[in-house]
Amino acid sequence: MTHRISHWIGGKPYESTSDRFGNVFDPATGSVTATVPLAPTEEVDVAVASARAAFGEWRRTSLARRSEVLFRFRQLLAERASEVAEAITAEHGKVLADAAGEVQRGLEVVDFACGLGTLLKGGYSENVSTGVDAYSIRQPLGVVTVISPFNFPAMVPLWFVPVAIATGNAVVLKPSEKDPSASLLLAQLWAEAGLPDGVFTVVHGDKVAVDRLLTHPDVKAVSFVGSTPIARHVYETATAHGKRVQALGGAKNHMVVLPDADLDLAADAAINAGFGSAGERCMAISAVVAIEPVADELIGKIRERMAALRVGDGRRGCDMGPLVTAAHCDRVASYVDAGIEAGAELVVDGRGIDVDGDPAGFWLGPTLFDRVTPEMSIYTDEIFGPVLSVLRADSYDDALDLVNANPYGNGTAIFTNDGGAARRFQHEVEVGMVGINVPIPVPVAYYSFGGWKSSLFGDSHAYGSDGVHFFTRTKAVTSRWLDPSHGGIDLGFPRHD
Ligand code: NAD
C-alpha cells in the first residue's frame, strides 16, 4: 500500500495538485511505499507566501516566548526520537541505531538554539562620544530556505531550522524527495510545540522547486547541503539573486594512519567510518592512507572485522543497511568494476553477498580495495557507498600532500600516538574538520560544521556562532538623548569628542 505525501504549509498538511510525483522506496525491500509531490513553481510560491505572512508576527514575538517554543520542541523531539528514527530507517535504509544517533545529533542543535537569549545578545558601549551611546542588535532576515540531502533526513534540517527559527526567521524546508517523511514529523512537532502557523513550512520537490526558491524575491537566505555540482549551482544562482548562501557540498575524507598508531583502534575506526550508514555520510572515511610499513597489518585487521559485519534490514539489528535507491546501488557497484579495471587490488568484494533482508532490497556489502592510486576514479570521485580504498604512502609528508591536493576538504582524521605529529597535521592540513584519533569529527553544536574548498561554497559554516550570524544581520545604533549640552550646527563628519 502506498500513500501520498503532502506538503506542510500554513501549519498543516497541504495536498499538492502537482502533476509530477516521485516514488519513495523502502530500500530494504525495494518496494514503493509512498509517492511524493514534486512542487511546481506556483506551489513553492504558496509556501513562501505563507512563510512571509507568518514572519512579521514571529519576528515581533518576545525572546521569552520564542524560548518556550524551542524548549517544548526539544522536549517533544526527545520523546518522539524513536518515531523519527523509524521513519528514517523506512525510507533511507540506515539501521535503527544509526538513525537514532542522527536524531540525537540533531537534538544537540536544538539544545544550542534553546539558548537564544544569550545567542542574540548584542554589544553596548556607553558614552562613545560625550552623551552618545553605541550598541548593536541582531535581527532576523525574513523567509529563509533550507534544502537538504537524502543522507540525513532529520539531522541536516536540524542543523539549520532551530537556529533560523530561534533567531526570528520563517523557514521553508525543501527536503530530499527520496526520504521526505522525517521532515513532516518535525513539522508536526513544531506545531505541537506552539510554533505559529507558517513559521515552519515543508515543500517537496526537485530541481524545479529548488530553482524557484533560489530565485524567489522573498527568500532572503539559502542553506543548502548536497553534492558539490548542485552546491555550486545553488551558490552561483542564489548569490546572483542577492541572497545570503551557505552551500555545503560533497566530500572525500582521508584517514591517515601513522606507523605508531594503535592499529586496532585505527581498524575499528576505518570500519565504523567507512561502512556506517553504508558509506552514505558526508563525513564517511573513503580513503585510508596507511604509512608504511603498517599497511599489510592494518589491512589484515580491517579485513578481519569486515568478515563479522552483518548486512541486512535496518529493523533487524544488523550492522549495515541497504543503499538508498536501486540507481544509487548500481552506481556504487559500477565503481567496484572501475576499481578492478584500473588495477586496484580487490581485497573484499561486497557484490552478491548474503544479506538478512529481502533479496529485492538495494544491497551492496562492504568492499575494500588496496593499492589504490590517486588517478583512479575510486579515489577521485565521491562514491557515497560502502567502498573503502587504501592508499599506501611512504611518509607523513606524502600523506599530507595527498590530502591537501584533493579538491574536497570536508573532514579528515589522523591516527597516531605522537602528539607532535597530530599537532602538525592539525596545523598543516587544508580541511575544515579534523579528527585526532576520532574518525568522524562532526563538531558539537556550539562549534560550527563546515568543510573547505569544494566542500563548501559561502562564508558561513552551519550551526554554532556561524549559524547565528548567518541567520541574522547586525544593526549598529548610535544614540544621543537630549540633554542641556546638545545643539549647534556642524556640517563636518561626525567626530567623537
Ligand atoms: P543531491 O545534491 O543530489 O541533492 C541535494 C538536494 O538538492 C536535494 O534536496 C535535491 O532534491 C536537490 N537537487 C537535486 N538535484 C538538483 C538540481 N539539479 N538542481 C537543484 N536541486 C537539486 O545530494 P544527495 O544525493 O541528496 O546527498 C548526497 C550528497 O550530499 C553527497 O555528495 C554528500 O557528500 C553531500 N552531503 C554533504 C554534507 C556536508 O555537510 N558537506 C552533508 C550531507 C550530505
Side-chain angles (χ1 to χ4, degrees):
M1 269 290 284
T2 65
H3 66 283
R4 184 173 276 202
I5 286 171
S6 46
H7 303 305
W8 184 277
I9 300 176
K12 52 183 181 302
Y14 180 100
E15 294 309 326
S16 171
T17 55
S18 178
D19 55 8
R20 294 191 309 126
F21 280 77
N23 286 332
V24 178
F25 292 90
D26 177 343
T29 63
S31 54
V32 176
T33 54
T35 57
V36 60
L38 304 174
T41 56
E42 308 79 60
E43 266 174 16
V44 175
D45 290 354
V46 172
V48 174
S50 160
R52 189 174 177 209
F55 168 64
E57 184 203 326
W58 182 240
R59 183 209 152 156
R60 285 189 296 276
T61 301
S62 71
L63 299 192
R65 165 95 183 84
R66 280 196 228 154
S67 297
E68 279 174 21
V69 174
L70 262 293
F71 273 98
R72 275 202 296 270
F73 177 73
R74 194 223 168 267
Q75 180 68 23
L76 289 166
L77 183 57
E79 283 167 11
R80 308 262 282 278
S82 56
E83 198 183 322
V84 180
E86 280 161 24
I88 294 169
T89 297
E91 294 180 352
H92 175 285
K94 66 177 73 175
V95 302
L96 266 177
D98 191 32
E102 148 170 14
V103 179
Q104 183 59 42
R105 292 307 303 264
L107 200 55
E108 269 181 21
V109 182
V110 187
D111 291 346
F112 171 77
C114 282
L116 63 99
T118 309
L119 300 174
L120 285 170
K121 271 166 81 171
Y124 197 105
S125 302
E126 187 191 42
N127 222 29
V128 293
S129 183
T130 307
V132 175
D133 300 335
Y135 51 97
S136 64
I137 51 182
R138 293 201 162 274
Q139 296 190 325
L141 305 177
V143 178
V144 301
T145 188
V146 175
I147 300 160
S148 57
F150 82 84
N151 66 320
F152 285 110
M155 184 183 79
V156 166
L158 288 169
W159 280 355
F160 305 101
V161 174
V163 181
I165 287 180
T167 50
N169 299 279
V171 183
V172 177
L173 169 66
K174 205 302 285 172
S176 170
E177 65 278 31
K178 296 192 176 100
D179 44 16
S181 293
S183 65
L184 294 172
L185 282 173
L186 297 180
Q188 270 172 30
L189 298 184
W190 279 116
E192 284 178 40
L195 188 72
D197 294 347
V199 177
F200 181 61
T201 298
V202 179
V203 65
H204 302 288
D206 57 5
K207 179 173 171 54
V208 172
V210 171
D211 285 348
R212 180 57 183 154
L213 288 167
L214 303 182
T215 55
H216 195 299
D218 288 337
V219 171
K220 302 300 177 199
V222 178
S223 299
F224 171 89
V225 181
S227 56
T228 288
I230 312 291
R232 191 176 279 121
H233 161 72
V234 164
Y235 182 76
E236 287 170 358
T237 309
T239 51
H241 285 79
K243 301 182 197 323
R244 195 177 276 196
V245 187
Q246 48 181 186
L248 284 67
K252 193 79 193 179
N253 304 314
H254 300 74
M255 170 174 154
V256 175
V257 182
L258 298 192
D260 73 328
D262 178 327
L263 294 187
D264 286 305
L265 177 74
D268 287 347
I271 296 284
N272 298 341
F275 304 124
S277 196
E280 293 170 327
R281 289 182 183 144
C282 63
M283 291 291 274
I285 292 293
S286 54
V288 172
V289 187
I291 297 177
E292 295 294 20
V294 294
D296 284 338
E297 192 182 346
L298 178 64
I299 289 165
K301 287 177 185 291
I302 293 175
R303 187 182 188 164
E304 219 171 79
R305 286 161 171 76
M306 287 175 75
L309 290 179
R310 262 182 67 223
V311 178
D313 192 315
R315 291 157 288 220
R316 296 188 191 173
C318 298
D319 299 305
M320 194 186 106
L323 288 152
V324 69
T325 58
H328 186 55
C329 192
D330 291 346
R331 182 176 170 276
V332 176
S334 76
Y335 276 104
V336 182
D337 299 332
I340 296 166
E341 210 160 294
E345 192 180 304
L346 185 61
V347 181
V348 180
D349 188 352
R351 296 170 300 177
I353 55 149
D354 286 337
V355 297
D356 181 5
D358 191 316
F362 311 138
W363 306 109
L364 181 71
T367 298
L368 182 67
F369 277 111
D370 184 17
R371 301 190 185 279
V372 175
T373 52
E375 71 291 347
M376 294 179 182
S377 66
I378 51 170
Y379 177 75
T380 56
D381 298 1
E382 181 185 37
I383 301 176
F384 223 56
V387 179
L388 188 60
S389 295
V390 178
L391 294 93
R392 295 170 179 241
D394 289 328
S395 66
Y396 165 87
D397 288 324
D398 289 350
L400 181 76
D401 289 348
L402 183 76
V403 179
N404 284 349
N406 196 282
Y408 295 108
N410 213 40
T412 188
I414 187 165
F415 279 72
T416 178
N417 280 320
D418 179 341
R423 195 164 178 279
R424 196 176 147 195
F425 186 71
Q426 153 198 315
H427 182 68
E428 295 176 337
V429 76
E430 289 171 17
V431 171
M433 292 170 283
V434 180
I436 297 173
N437 296 317
V438 171
I440 308 181
V442 174
V444 287
Y446 36 96
Y447 285 81
S448 298
F449 180 107
W452 287 12
K453 302 192 280 188
S454 295
S455 294
L456 188 143
F457 303 90
D459 305 315
S460 303
H461 289 191
Y463 60 76
S465 56
D466 268 27
V468 175
H469 287 202
F470 183 78
F471 288 119
T472 54
R473 44 187 179 170
T474 316
K475 196 176 266 178
V477 183
T478 306
S479 88
R480 184 208 315 259
W481 290 98
L482 295 189
D483 71 25
S485 69
H486 85 92
I489 301 289
D490 181 356
L491 300 194
F493 198 68
R495 285 170 293 126
H496 299 305
D497 302 314

